[in-house]
Structures are given as C-alpha cells and as structure tokens.
Amino acid sequence: MGHRRAQLWVALVFVGLVVGSGSGPVADARPDGRLAVGPDGGAGSVTSQAVGTGTAAVSPESSLTEAAPTASPIASPNANTKPGPEPTAKPVAAPTPRATPKPAAPPAPPAPPPPLSDCPILPATNVWNRRVDGLPVAANSATMVEAIGLSARLHPDFGSYGGYGIPYNIVGSATPRTTVRFQYASESDRVGYPIPAHPRIEGGSDRHILMVDTNACRLYELYAAVKTTSGWRAGSGATWDLRSNKLRPNGWTSADAAGLPILPGLVRYAEVARGAIPHAVRFTAPDTCDGHIYPARHDAGSGSCAVNPPMGLRVRLKASVAIGGFGSQARVLLTALKRYGMILADNGSPWYVTGAPDPHWNDDALHALGQLTGDDFEVVNTSGFLNG
C-alpha cells in the first residue's frame, strides 16, 4: 500500500509539473497527496524539492522558479458579436472639366476691291472723253507734225510682255496708306498713297506706279518711285477724284510732265476687247516748248511754242487713212485715234502711244501700226475746248 502511494505521489508531482508548464497555475503537491492551497485560495507555485527518501530529485533544468509570462490573450471574434462598420472613405470630388478654349478664328480677309469698270475714268464731259473728229484742223498743224517727226512711225509703247508699258494697280479702301517723300514736294500731293505690298511698276527710269482705289474711285500716281530702307520716295505724286473734272493748279506737275493723269490716256486691253476705246490716248514727242495748253498744267521743254509743240497738244489720225487692212486690235485703236485723237503728255520718242501691258495683246497686230507715220496725223484746233 505504501508503494502504491509513492507511485501516486510521483504521478501527481509529474502532473503538476506538466500542468504548471501550461497556461494556468497548479497547486503544490504535498507529501500526503493533497494540494497545498496558497493564501489567496489559488494554487501556489511549484518549487524544486526532494520527493521523499529514495526518490529522484527534479533536475534544475526542469524546475520552474516562477510562472512563465503568458502572452496577453487576444480576443477571439465572437460569433454573436457583429463587426462594427468600417469607416467610410469620403469621396474625393472629381475635378470639374474645363472646356477647351476654341482657337480664335483668323480675321476674315478684306473683300477684294471692285473692278475698274465700276468707276468712271473721269466724267463724260472731260476733254479726255470728248470726240474731236468734228473739230477744225489747227493753223500750225504742219509745223507741229514736222517738229514731232513727219516720217517717224507710229509705235505702240506696250504689248503682251508684262514689263513693257505702264501697268496699273487696283486697290481698295483696305489697302494701307504709305507716306512718300518727294523730290518735287511743293508740286506733289502729300497724302497717303495706297501702295500694295508688291506693286506693279513701270520699267525703265520713269518707274510710274498707278493705283486706282475702286472703292472711292480715286486715282493715285507716282513718278520715279523707289522703295528704300527708310520707306518710299518719288520724284512727284498726284491724286484725282475720277468723278470730277477738277484740274491741278496751273503750273503744277503730276506723275506726268504735262501735269495730267496718266491712267485716262492708257490703251487698255479690256476696252479693245469690248470693241471701242472711248477716250483720247497719251503720246510722247522728243522736243517740246516751254509752254502748255489746256488741259495740260505743266511743261518740261524749252524754246518757242511756235517751233516745238506744247504739252497738251491734241492730234488725230486723218479721216482719209484706210484702216481696213489692220488686225482687229489695231483697228480698234486706229478708230479711237480718228475720233478722240492723242494728247501730248511727256517728252520721249516720237509718236509713241502709251498702253498697259496685257498677255492678251497680239503683238504682231500692234507692230503693224508702224505702217503709219507722222504724215498721217494732223493737229486739232482745241481753243475753247474745256471740261464740262
């Protein structure tokens, strides 16, 4: 019986060691097999001690001097406990889309100016536009014709080549105005001139620039125009209201030596294509006198007007000259020379008729005009022949 008790005690000590090594406290085993209760009523700590006579002692490595620290219990989720709501993230407002600005539309280009045909080229009562086929022959006709060149040939000073003749530029009220410096400033119109960015300019030394503002029906003309690094300069410049008969002050030049406008005296293809030139045309002579007659306002020659022709002299093709054998373009011009004649406006080669270049000109037909000479012309008596 004593042997069984010893076995039981050892077993209890072993159990105590095992339980003590667990998570909960165990009671001290007493030699009598009962549990020793601590002062607080709980099981005391197990200490290393001898287990009676003849029993093995617990090794120090296996003895527990104090309870091992236990980890803090982690609360297990309770099936009956509802999880609290997770914090709801506040929505971030999406950025307000901004409308992409539309690119500004480029400014509309200005409307092109009206055609030249929308403007009168001086009133119908202007002497440029009045027929002279019914006027008498001047008393000094033979002298004047001989001074210009009796045997010199009629010559068209224009053609299909763009650099031959006096071109003109159609401009409008939207064309920027340019200040021009003049050599003969006292006799020039100092206004803004509507010079295009790339104007058509007469070749040679005269370098005329003719500009017609067809919105205002106003003509601007420059002589010896040159663009420099500091701007435009010219020998002289003048402007006209194409609806008016007003002349320049007497003694004033223009872009032409006679103080007259150039455009009204140009042979223009559009008129020939319509079948009629309804005005006088401009021509030149090598020598002129130091005087001028109406409608000229200026002279650029020397000597007596009894010997050399004055600026403003009006001549016409004799009615007896046959023109049926000429080409159609030449016939239109020769008909005008019989009806309206030519006005002497500048110094130059004898019987040179001024026109505007145009690719539609038939140069062969125009060259045929050289069959005519000064002997085929006569001076018209224009005394008393005034505008209006």
Side-chain angles (χ1 to χ4, degrees):
M1 197 64 182
H3 177 71
R4 292 184 63 188
R5 282 188 177 183
Q7 288 179 332
L8 178 61
W9 185 83
V10 171
L12 288 175
V13 171
F14 179 78
V15 171
L17 288 172
V18 173
V19 175
S21 65
S23 59
V26 295
D28 289 338
R30 295 178 53 172
D32 59 1
R34 295 191 303 175
L35 295 177
V37 180
D40 56 358
S45 61
V46 178
T47 59
S48 177
Q49 54 183 305
V51 187
T53 305
T55 60
V58 180
S59 65
E61 289 83 1
S62 61
S63 66
L64 301 177
T65 58
E66 62 182 48
T70 47
S72 300
I74 299 175
S76 300
N78 190 327
N80 296 325
T81 303
K82 294 182 180 180
E86 295 183 1
T88 304
K90 294 183 179 180
V92 179
T96 303
R98 294 184 179 179
T100 302
K102 295 181 179 180
L116 182 63
S117 58
D118 275 19
C119 292
I121 307 300
L122 303 178
T125 56
N126 192 282
V127 295
W128 279 98
N129 299 325
R130 289 168 63 185
R131 292 175 65 155
V132 296
D133 48 343
L135 294 179
V137 177
N140 63 348
S141 176
T143 303
M144 296 295 102
V145 168
E146 186 173 4
I148 297 171
L150 192 61
S151 60
R153 296 181 180 276
L154 184 66
H155 181 80
D157 198 16
F158 60 94
S160 62
Y161 169 56
Y164 188 40
I166 301 181
Y168 56 90
N169 300 270
I170 301 300
V171 299
S173 55
T175 305
R177 268 45 180 175
T178 300
T179 299
V180 181
R181 294 181 294 114
F182 294 110
Q183 180 181 359
Y184 304 106
S186 62
E187 296 179 21
S188 295
D189 292 334
R190 284 174 281 183
V191 299
Y193 285 77
I195 304 176
H198 304 284
R200 303 178 68 196
I201 306 177
E202 180 192 15
S205 59
D206 283 357
R207 295 186 59 82
H208 287 110
I209 301 182
L210 278 53
M211 299 148 282
V212 188
D213 180 346
T214 52
N215 288 121
C217 292
R218 192 162 194 89
L219 173 63
Y220 300 80
E221 296 183 345
L222 295 172
Y223 162 68
V226 176
K227 188 175 185 180
T228 69
T229 55
S230 59
W232 283 93
R233 60 177 177 81
S236 55
T239 180
W240 286 269
D241 180 354
L242 291 175
R243 300 187 181 97
S244 172
N245 280 325
K246 186 178 180 181
L247 300 174
R248 294 180 66 69
N250 195 24
W252 278 36
T253 189
S254 63
D256 221 353
L260 295 171
I262 297 173
L263 180 73
L266 291 182
V267 180
R268 301 188 297 277
Y269 176 78
E271 295 176 324
V272 172
R274 290 194 292 266
I277 299 174
H279 57 81
V281 298
R282 175 186 184 269
F283 85 108
T284 61
D287 297 301
T288 56
C289 68
D290 60 358
H292 56 274
I293 61 174
Y294 194 92
R297 313 306 284 164
H298 185 263
D299 49 81
S302 60
S304 172
C305 291
V307 176
N308 289 325
M311 292 292 181
L313 185 77
R314 188 86 166 241
V315 302
R316 68 188 176 206
L317 183 64
K318 294 176 180 177
S320 60
V321 175
I323 62 174
F326 291 88
S328 60
Q329 292 183 1
R331 286 201 310 272
V332 172
L333 174 56
L334 293 174
T335 299
L337 295 184
K338 286 187 175 185
R339 294 176 178 175
Y340 296 92
M342 301 187 291
I343 297 178
L344 181 56
D346 200 1
N347 294 320
S349 300
W351 308 113
Y352 268 47
V353 181
T354 311
D358 193 286
H360 298 93
W361 286 123
N362 183 329
D363 293 325
D364 292 336
L366 295 178
H367 290 159
L369 295 172
Q371 299 175 36
L372 302 177
T373 66
D375 194 36
D376 294 310
F377 291 88
E378 58 192 8
V379 177
V380 179
N381 183 350
T382 57
S383 57
F385 194 59
L386 308 175
N387 289 337

